[in-house]
């Protein structure tokens, strides 16, 4: 299932959402070489990505982690490591990774920003990203494997959307072999399905015998970010904006819940 759009109009231009998308895109192109230069890509992931074992000091210094093409990340004790919970939010590992994250953020981010206000939304986004990083570190504190991606912070945005607009319809693209359909579904169905999938996928990571259980995806960062969004959304919500949005949405879609 791929989200394409929702029936949730915005009152104001989502400037922060645009700026964050621009920052993510600029990082991918100018720092990571748009994935075209393996050395630039690996260097950015190694130096600016979050390595749990570097933060906790539980990964052996000098331990190499192969990343393909004869390249490897080496565990170090550089001062920049303290900033990687933040810098890792703007890095990605491939075109599919960045495009998928940006699509989810495009669909859900503008509405959450419109319900909080710009500054509150920016703080909320960063806090959810940090919570996501903390969750992944807590699950595997000695891991030497770098974690990158905006998906933890975006998961927080999705958790907020679930609380704010559970019944709004989200237009989902379904692709089953050669069958392609766009089906509108309530947001609570889409988001709870997605969250349940993350939990199920991440359960093997809790088994010490299967540290690679998530298939290379930091699913517990997704879970941590989503839960943070659920818990924090009411602290950041601007109720006046939410009420205005609800009235405007019902005017445009009187037959929708």
């Amino acid at each position: 299932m791929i989200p394409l759009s929702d029936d949730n109009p915005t009152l104001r231009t989502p400037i922060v959402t645009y700026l964050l998308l621009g920052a993510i895109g600029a990082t991918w192109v100018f720092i990571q070489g748009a994935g075209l230069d393996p050395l630039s890509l690996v260097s950015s992931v190694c130096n600016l990505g979050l390595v749990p074992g570097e933060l906790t000091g539980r990964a052996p210094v000098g331990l190499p982690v192969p990343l393909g093409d004869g390249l490897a990340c080496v565990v170090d004790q550089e001062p920049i490591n303290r900033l990687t919970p933040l810098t890792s939010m703007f890095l990605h590992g491939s075109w599919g990774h960045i495009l998928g994250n940006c699509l989810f953020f495009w669909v859900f981010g503008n509405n959450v920003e419109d319900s909080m206000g710009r500054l509150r939304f920016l703080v909320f986004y960063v806090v959810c990203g940090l919570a996501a990083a903390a969750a992944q570190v807590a699950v595997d504190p000695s891991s030497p494997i770098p974690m990158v991606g905006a998906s933890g912070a975006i998961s927080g945005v999705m958790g907020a959307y679930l609380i704010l607009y559970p019944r709004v319809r989200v237009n989902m693209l379904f692709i089953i072999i050669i069958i392609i359909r766009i089906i509108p579904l309530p947001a609570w169905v889409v988001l709870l399905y997605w969250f349940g999938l993350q939990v199920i996928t991440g359960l093997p990571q809790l088994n010490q015998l299967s540290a690679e259980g998530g298939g290379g995806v930091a699913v517990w960062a997704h879970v941590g970010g989503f839960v943070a969004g659920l818990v924090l959304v009411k602290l950041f919500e601007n109720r006046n904006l939410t009420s205005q949005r609800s009235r405007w949405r019902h005017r445009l879609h009187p037959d929708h819940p």
Side-chain angles (χ1 to χ4, degrees), residues 167 245-257:
R167 294 186 294 173
R245 285 173 48 77
S246 295
R247 290 193 295 270
W248 180 245
R249 187 176 69 253
H250 288 311
R251 287 177 188 172
L252 294 179
H253 305 286
D255 297 329
H256 294 184

Side-chain angles (χ1 to χ4, degrees), residues 12 15 23 25 28 44 68 71 84-86 95 100 102 107 134 146 151 186 226:
R12 301 192 304 171
I15 292 176
W28 175 245
S44 64
L71 300 173
T84 56
L86 179 62
W95 274 105
C102 288
V107 172
S151 52
F226 193 90

Side-chain angles (χ1 to χ4, degrees), residues 1-2 4 172-183:
M1 297 194 304
I2 302 172
L4 298 179
M172 303 296 296
L173 175 65
F174 286 80
I175 302 176
I176 306 174
I177 308 178
I178 61 172
I179 301 175
I180 300 176
R181 292 287 187 274
I182 296 176
I183 302 176

Side-chain angles (χ1 to χ4, degrees), residues 68-87:
D69 294 325
L71 300 173
C73 286
V74 177
V75 174
D76 59 40
Q77 294 179 320
E78 296 294 327
I80 190 67
N81 295 343
R82 299 187 186 94
L83 298 178
T84 56
L86 179 62
T87 58

